């Protein structure tokens, strides 16, 4: 339901980069949390819907160039995340054994999705 609502809103109000809206604007207008909006956009993109965006907001792409810009921005984020992963792997090596627990027997540590 929320996915259809977001799609309809973007098609009616946010076609093209010049009409993008910030995450906060979309959250407020559609009564969504940050995580809900992010997850909806992800699912829509996985369904090949042309939801474009970047650090300044989201919009419904009106041409291939806008989609390509979004792809480039996402690729840059992936590279940055991989650099973080690689740095943490190197940091982990300094701890010696592979004990990834939290010290309280609670299992692996780290951020949860």
């Amino acid at each position: 339901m929320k996915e259809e609502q977001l799609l309809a809103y973007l098609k009616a109000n946010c076609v093209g980069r010049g009409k993008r809206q910030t995450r906060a604007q979309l959250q407020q207008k559609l009564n969504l949390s940050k995580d809900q909006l992010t997850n909806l956009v992800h699912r829509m993109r996985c369904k090949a819907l042309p939801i474009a965006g970047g650090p300044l907001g989201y919009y419904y792409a009106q041409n291939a160039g806008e989609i390509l810009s979004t792809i480039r921005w996402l690729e840059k984020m992936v590279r940055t995340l991989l650099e973080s992963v690689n740095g943490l792997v190197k940091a982990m090596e300094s701890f010696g054994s592979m004990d990834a627990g939290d010290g309280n027997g609670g299992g692996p540590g780290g951020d949860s999705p």
Side-chain angles (χ1 to χ4, degrees), residues 68-112:
L68 184 60
S69 292
T70 301
I71 291 168
R72 297 291 182 243
W73 177 67
L74 291 169
E75 288 174 337
K76 181 179 178 185
M77 287 190 347
V78 168
R79 284 191 304 275
T80 300
L81 287 171
L82 286 173
E83 289 171 359
S84 291
V85 168
N86 291 334
L88 287 171
V89 167
K90 289 176 185 173
M92 189 172 62
E93 292 168 359
S94 71
F95 286 94
S97 72
M98 291 298 293
D99 178 22
D102 60 6
N104 297 317
D111 296 338
S112 60

Side-chain angles (χ1 to χ4, degrees), residues 25-71:
Q25 289 171 317
L26 291 171
Q27 286 175 234
Q28 182 179 19
K29 291 189 179 173
L30 300 171
N31 194 31
L32 297 168
S33 71
K34 178 182 174 184
D35 288 341
Q36 286 174 315
L37 179 58
T38 300
N39 290 334
L40 286 171
V41 169
H42 171 71
R43 286 199 311 261
M44 293 166 73
R45 287 173 171 167
C46 289
K47 293 178 181 179
L49 293 168
I51 309 304
L56 300 178
Y58 294 115
Y59 56 98
Y60 192 88
Q62 65 182 0
N63 59 55
E66 290 178 342
I67 294 173
L68 184 60
S69 292
T70 301
I71 291 168

